[in-house]
Amino acid sequence: MGGAALAAPFRRIVVSTSLNDDRENPATPTPKIALELGSTDDAGMRRVKQLGVNHVLTGGPPIPWQEADLQVLIDKLKRGGLTLGNMMIDGFPKTLYGKPGRDAEIDKVQQSIRAAGKVGLPVIEYNFYAHRLVEGYYAELGRAGAGLTAFDYNRVKDLPPLPDEGVHNLEEMWSNITYFLKAVIPVAEASGVRLALHPNDPPAPLSRGSQQIMGSLKGWKRLVDIVRSKSNGITFDCGVTREMGEDPVEVCRYFGSKDVINHVHFRNVRVEVPNQKYTEVFIDEGVIDMYAVMKELVRQKYPRLIYPEHPRALDYDRERAEFKPYYPGGGGYAASSYNVGYTRAMLQAALAS
């Protein structure tokens, strides 16, 4: 998640929509499509509401979260016709690396989960990267000069470790996240909150010398088995799934059968070498069968958010003075609107099939 959208301390907000958010039959829930919101002023909320938006997710404030602060945000969004459904949590580096002081960080995470539960926030998303190798991203040109985001491991495989991160092997990172999950998942269960761990993106073999726990399907499966609970789930990213060389439909079915898909990222890619060289392309032109993925989510009666993320760079967005892409070759509101339209069509077709 990137790009500031809310005044401090909130970092970014994403919005979502489904075909019938306000009239949804609890017996037949449907996915809710997500889109980034650039502002919570009236104009910003109106722009996304015009696309049928009713739900949001956002980057969270510093931990520990306070119930009163969360309620202020929820009430503000409600006045704009929006409902908060997911918030990103971070700020626990000692926990990531197993350093002294992690228990104090984990206590703050636990407090945050309890606060989320009290205000009715259903999902908290988080990352557990030893290092995220975003240095490997670069822009490519797509159709008619549109911007695409590419990754090439060969460009960055020899980068040295960063002093504040160090080098961490796989079992060390598994030990660290096991310690974390055993402390926070019982609190999440008691609070009625689901956690969603985002996979390593990019899923590179090594990131500045460190191994990554969520860069393979084997890792994803191991994660949800550490503490078997609906509160210990993942963000299912069909783009990362294909970047790892896996079949997104089969992977979606596996985790959906365990009811541990707690958030979804919906995007398309072209892959040359799994885990190492690929390009994020328009949602309609990659190697993923996006309709098949959507049909599987509908078959599962998946009820939470789908975010068609990483819009491509269009001239219309580039010409805007306020345009600030988060990724090389990334787009803005116009391209996000295209993603929403495509994803909505997939959802309509899947529901009708």
Side-chain angles (χ1 to χ4, degrees), residues 202-240:
L206 288 174
S207 291
R208 286 189 177 267
S210 288
Q211 295 178 295
Q212 304 285 359
I213 59 175
M214 291 291 282
S216 69
L217 179 57
K218 181 181 178 181
W220 295 14
K221 291 180 177 180
R222 180 172 175 176
L223 182 281
V224 299
D225 282 342
I226 292 173
V227 180
R228 294 187 179 182
S229 167
K230 294 176 182 179
S231 290
N232 180 30
I234 65 167
T235 294
F236 167 65
D237 188 319
C238 61
V240 175

Side-chain angles (χ1 to χ4, degrees), residues 43-94:
M45 289 190 285
R46 186 172 62 250
R47 280 193 292 270
V48 294
K49 288 290 290 183
Q50 288 171 352
L51 300 178
V53 168
N54 295 303
H55 296 261
V56 302
L57 64 90
T58 176
I63 58 173
W65 298 349
Q66 302 298 319
E67 178 184 351
D69 294 336
L70 300 185
Q71 193 64 59
V72 167
L73 174 62
I74 287 172
D75 291 344
K76 180 179 183 181
L77 296 172
K78 185 176 181 180
R79 289 193 294 270
L82 303 172
T83 300
L84 184 62
N86 184 335
M87 183 173 278
M88 175 70 76
I89 195 167
D90 60 13
F92 39 93
K94 294 181 177 67

